[in-house]
Amino acid sequence: MMESVDSSGSSFTPLVVLELSSDTKEEAIGWLLSRIRDQQRNGGAELLVEQLEPGIAAQEKDNPNMFLVGASQQRLLSGAEDVGLFKEFSDGSMRGFTCANKHNFKDFKGDGDSFLSMAECQYIVKHELDTLRARDETHVPGYAQVKLYPGKSIIRRLQSKGILIQMFPLHEKEELKRLSFSWYKKVKLSLQPLDDIRHYYGEGQAFYFGFLEYFTFALVPMALIGVPYYLFDWEGYDKYVIFAAFNLVWCTVILELWKRCSASLAYHWGTLSRKKAFEEPRPGFHGVLGFNPVTGREEPLYPNAKRQLRIYLVSVPFVLLCLYLSLYVMMIYFQMEGWALTVHDEEPTFWTGILLFIPSIIYAVVIEIMNLIYRYAAEFLTEWENHRLESSYQNHLVLKVLVFNFFNCFASLFYIAFVMQDMVLLRQSLATLLITSQILNQFMEAFLPYWLQRRRNKKMIHKVRKRKTLEDKELPLAEQVRLEADMSTYLGTFDDYLELFLLFGYVSLFSCVYPLAAVLVVLNNITEVYSDAFKMCRVFKRPFSDPAANIGVWQLAFEAMSVIAVVTNFALIGMSPEVKAYFPESETQLILWTVAIEHALLAFKFLLAFLIPDVPKHIQIKLARLEFESLEALKKKKMLEASELGKMQ
């Protein structure tokens, strides 16, 4: 990594870039830099910061207000203790890092200059910048209208007011090259380098790729059973019964085993027993100034009753209206489907045969467009609800998006299955929806951003080469930073998990009708690993690492989907002619029996979930031992203190 020199003359490794708007007032810049450099005891962040030099290819429109932020080794180590970073101890266990105990950690050598990974250093710098608080300033110097409150985060305030455009961590060129090669550049049958991904991008990213890989392997038995079912095309519902029964057990077991797998990864990465830091209010959160009862600090307060009114009187009706529109579009699709069937029945030709698939393809494209538009509306509404915490904001957003996406993608399939009861049309619609959505997703996710990025990169590199006489491959630091500043911002794993959630729905809800669904999803996931890896390494700015301990709220979403799958599969079995033949006189009896067996299966599902422990036994023992050791150490410390007091008296 290239080095930069700060104003005191000491060189440092640039870790994070701060870009302020080009018209930021001088006094505001001077004040911010002094606060970043100031000693911690004076309320500063005690970080190193330097303005980015204009590059060789400097243009007039280049923003001069770009700053490189780094930190001394000692500052990073004390920051690691502040954020509660877990590292491997000399006995192989994972423990919270402390400076007093630093030489007892496994990889700590000398002054520990390679002890922390670059992603960890960047996370620490971000944490220190985020927790830089206003003291006695009432407003940002030069901006009388941008008020500051004692104890509030300065960086978040500047972000929400548009003075700070972006803050992003820099890529490490050599490490990125190595990761790219082991991850997606060579076609291989080996597993993904999850430890390397975690080392470079942090746990949140590594968990997504770990889950993607796990989900792909978990689908293989389903795919292997699905292929002969599809090839030999055994008509009759007895095969559906076997497939559906397998489906139900499979759904439960894979989600429970993932919890164990997830706990093992989290323990290995040191995030399993990490305490969640006290959450700061979101940058966009606003309200009347008051005192936080927990911290006693002055900060904006917003009445919960007001937020609830916004949720129930505006957000909920809006979501219901969107669901109604989705139903309306679905009915138009069925009319188109009916028209295509009529045309084909009147004069069956090759072209009218193709025409039968056109309504489903159009509907699949419309579904994707509606999901996209709704996503923006949901984000706007959730922002307007004014949630204080990021976790609360995310939960409300996930709920809104999941309800609409589930309804939009699966309503037509439920209608065909349970109202029209047309299994041939259900199979055709499921196949078309699945294939079309996969093609569209791959295009939107990988090819489009890559093409846009290539155009941007070519322009930038061409500009540099024009002014440059030296023909070395390595871009100068200034150009590298500007190139990364122009890259697309990675918006987190939300959309990636959402896509997996919908694919899981297609497989678990109706795959007994279309057994090839699992095969298609496996193929999609294999290309997804490569396209997502490529996107992370080449298209996006490096995201800040996110010390996650699991896949969060998505675990609940997948479990809810598996419960719906039990009900759906059993209802499909109950509708089969073979099952109906057992109850020729009474349909009520059939319904009662179906519901009873379905409830028994649900009970079995929850029993399975209860019997399979979430955390493997050996990890439970290690965690308990650590807790015991820390209690013993605390007892010893107290006894020593007591004996010293006794001697003094």
Side-chain angles (χ1 to χ4, degrees):
M1 188 71 203
M2 298 185 194
E3 294 206 328
S4 186
V5 179
D6 86 330
S7 52
S8 65
S10 60
S11 67
F12 70 98
T13 303
L15 295 168
V16 174
V17 178
L18 291 178
E19 184 179 0
L20 302 174
S21 64
S22 53
D23 57 355
T24 307
K25 298 194 169 68
E26 282 299 321
E27 57 258 55
I29 296 175
W31 165 77
L32 178 64
L33 297 190
S34 72
R35 289 301 315 271
I36 292 173
R37 289 182 182 131
D38 209 353
Q39 299 284 316
Q40 272 186 294
R41 61 172 176 270
N42 302 335
E46 214 173 312
L47 298 172
L48 308 170
V49 61
E50 195 47 54
Q51 189 159 6
L52 183 70
E53 299 289 325
I56 297 162
Q59 301 278 310
E60 279 184 25
K61 64 176 188 296
D62 280 351
N63 184 356
N65 293 333
M66 293 186 86
F67 299 89
L68 303 171
V69 185
S72 67
Q73 196 54 43
Q74 201 45 50
R75 181 71 188 91
L76 288 170
L77 292 174
S78 68
E81 187 172 338
D82 292 345
V83 298
L85 206 63
F86 269 57
K87 299 292 280 182
E88 194 174 349
F89 207 62
S90 49
D91 65 359
S93 62
M94 300 298 288
R95 303 186 183 207
F97 177 77
T98 56
C99 289
N101 219 359
K102 61 189 178 189
H103 293 290
N104 292 330
F105 283 84
K106 191 181 169 193
D107 296 318
F108 196 93
K109 295 175 186 77
D111 59 355
D113 58 348
S114 59
F115 178 63
L116 299 170
S117 72
M118 192 171 173
E120 285 167 342
C121 294
Q122 288 166 332
Y123 174 71
I124 291 163
V125 168
K126 178 182 185 283
H127 175 266
E128 299 302 343
L129 287 171
D130 274 343
T131 51
L132 195 59
R133 302 182 187 287
R135 290 175 300 175
D136 39 18
E137 306 97 331
T138 53
H139 61 272
V140 174
Y143 295 89
Q145 77 283 8
V146 181
K147 291 190 167 50
L148 287 171
Y149 309 114
K152 290 306 295 165
S153 168
I154 290 171
I155 293 290
R156 286 168 181 245
R157 191 74 181 145
L158 295 176
Q159 272 176 319
S160 59
K161 291 296 174 189
I163 297 168
L164 175 62
I165 301 172
Q166 59 177 348
M167 173 166 82
F168 63 91
L170 279 168
H171 273 298
E172 160 101 83
K173 282 311 215 194
E174 283 309 308
E175 206 179 324
L176 188 63
K177 266 185 208 160
R178 281 198 300 274
L179 177 62
S180 302
F181 186 74
S182 65
W183 198 3
Y184 72 87
K185 280 193 174 168
K186 53 178 186 187
V187 177
K188 59 192 186 322
L189 286 168
S190 59
L191 302 175
Q192 293 178 88
L194 288 184
D195 284 337
D196 295 345
I197 297 168
R198 176 252 171 177
H199 192 262
Y200 193 82
Y201 287 111
E203 290 81 15
Q205 278 303 318
F207 266 115
Y208 163 68
F209 284 102
F211 183 68
L212 174 59
E213 183 178 278
Y214 174 85
F215 180 43
T216 310
F217 278 111
L219 281 164
V220 171
M222 197 80 151
L224 289 176
I225 293 173
V227 171
Y229 265 63
Y230 184 77
L231 289 178
F232 302 123
D233 200 30
W234 309 324
E235 269 317 317
Y237 280 76
D238 48 347
K239 68 162 185 177
Y240 294 151
V241 175
I242 302 163
F243 201 79
F246 173 77
N247 200 337
L248 302 179
V249 176
W250 173 83
C251 276
T252 307
V253 170
I254 68 154
L255 289 174
E256 285 307 309
L257 291 181
W258 163 252
K259 279 190 202 167
R260 292 170 64 82
C261 185
S262 159
S264 299
L265 285 174
Y267 178 76
H268 173 53
W269 293 334
T271 55
L272 187 62
S273 47
R274 197 169 160 175
K275 301 285 179 285
K276 193 158 174 54
F278 179 75
E279 269 194 278
E280 285 289 323
R282 297 178 60 247
F285 176 66
H286 55 86
V288 181
L289 202 61
F291 284 94
N292 181 326
V294 178
T295 60
R297 289 200 293 257
E298 201 175 18
E299 66 172 52
L301 300 175
Y302 189 77
N304 195 39
K306 244 185 179 178
R307 186 179 300 115
Q308 297 299 334
L309 282 175
R310 286 186 173 191
I311 292 170
Y312 291 110
L313 296 184
V314 179
S315 296
V316 172
F318 174 78
V319 173
L320 293 174
L321 176 70
C322 289
L323 295 182
Y324 172 74
L325 283 174
S326 174
L327 263 181
Y328 191 74
V329 169
M330 184 181 86
M331 288 308 173
I332 295 171
Y333 154 64
F334 284 126
Q335 284 175 343
M336 283 165 63
E337 195 76 62
W339 168 77
L341 271 170
T342 314
V343 170
H344 182 66
D345 289 346
E346 279 174 9
E347 196 183 331
T349 65
F350 170 74
W351 294 110
T352 56
I354 287 176
L355 182 70
L356 288 177
F357 287 93
I358 300 296
S360 294
I361 292 170
I362 293 172
Y363 184 49
V365 173
V366 169
I367 280 178
E368 291 298 320
I369 293 167
M370 283 170 73
N371 284 346
L372 207 62
I373 295 169
Y374 176 80
R375 172 72 192 276
Y376 287 117
E379 278 178 0
F380 174 79
L381 265 182
T382 316
E383 188 68 52
W384 178 73
E385 286 166 12
N386 198 19
H387 294 277
R388 181 179 173 274
L389 301 179
E390 187 61 38
S391 55
S392 167
Y393 170 85
Q394 284 298 335
N395 290 347
H396 278 82
L397 180 63
V398 167
L399 187 63
K400 281 189 193 73
V401 173
L402 281 190
V403 166
F404 181 77
N405 275 260
F406 179 83
F407 194 82
N408 204 20
C409 294
F410 300 118
S412 62
L413 300 176
F414 278 104
Y415 186 83
I416 296 167
F418 301 118
V419 179
M420 294 166 72
Q421 298 191 6
D422 183 342
M423 292 304 147
V424 177
L425 180 60
L426 178 61
R427 195 174 306 147
Q428 181 199 312
S429 293
L430 179 63
T432 316
L433 278 175
L434 192 54
I435 294 165
T436 313
S437 69
Q438 285 180 359
I439 292 168
L440 280 172
N441 269 324
Q442 292 294 348
F443 175 75
M444 293 293 287
E445 276 189 6
F447 298 111
L448 196 63
Y450 173 61
W451 179 72
L452 292 171
Q453 192 56 41
R454 272 197 72 142
R455 286 187 57 195
R456 263 188 226 151
N457 285 11
K458 272 184 180 164
K459 274 187 205 162
M460 175 60 116
I461 291 164
H462 184 62
K463 277 195 303 191
V464 176
R465 292 275 146 84
K466 258 198 329 197
R467 310 284 176 96
K468 217 174 163 197
T469 50
L470 292 167
E471 268 301 306
D472 62 333
K473 291 278 176 178
E474 190 69 41
L475 278 177
L477 180 64
E479 265 69 43
Q480 185 57 44
V481 171
R482 291 188 193 281
L483 187 63
E484 286 186 37
D486 281 343
M487 288 169 100
S488 314
T489 302
Y490 181 65
L491 298 171
T493 49
F494 187 101
D495 290 309
D496 298 319
Y497 277 122
L498 181 62
E499 190 185 338
L500 288 184
F501 172 77
L502 295 174
L503 291 175
F504 180 69
Y506 284 123
V507 172
S508 59
L509 294 175
F510 299 104
S511 64
C512 64
V513 178
Y514 183 62
L516 216 56
V519 179
L520 291 174
V521 175
V522 166
L523 294 174
N524 174 78
N525 284 5
I526 292 167
T527 57
E528 186 80 21
V529 167
Y530 284 95
S531 68
D532 280 354
F534 172 82
K535 200 169 64 171
M536 292 304 302
C537 295
R538 295 288 298 277
V539 177
F540 290 122
K541 286 185 191 79
R542 184 178 188 168
F544 280 106
S545 76
D546 162 30
N550 47 43
I551 62 171
V553 71
W554 292 101
Q555 180 78 34
L556 278 174
F558 280 91
E559 282 171 7
M561 180 69 91
S562 72
V563 170
I564 298 167
V566 172
V567 181
T568 309
N569 279 291
F570 239 80
L572 282 171
I573 292 167
M575 279 165 42
S576 67
E578 279 84 348
V579 175
K580 281 181 179 172
Y582 287 108
F583 303 94
E585 272 79 52
S586 166
E587 200 166 293
T588 316
Q589 247 185 329
L590 166 67
I591 293 167
L592 287 171
W593 269 103
T594 308
V595 170
I597 297 170
E598 172 252 321
H599 273 57
L601 262 170
L602 275 177
F604 172 67
K605 181 179 162 48
F606 290 121
L607 182 69
L608 256 183
F610 175 73
L611 288 174
I612 302 173
D614 291 355
V615 180
K617 190 78 179 155
H618 68 281
I619 291 177
Q620 285 179 12
I621 292 167
K622 282 179 183 171
L623 289 175
R625 192 186 299 144
L626 264 182
E627 203 170 319
F628 172 73
E629 280 175 19
S630 61
L631 283 171
E632 287 295 298
L634 198 66
K635 273 186 201 168
K636 270 184 192 167
K637 193 179 168 191
K638 281 185 176 170
M639 281 164 72
L640 273 171
E641 282 171 0
S643 66
E644 276 175 17
L645 267 172
K647 280 176 194 169
M648 284 166 71
Q649 286 166 3

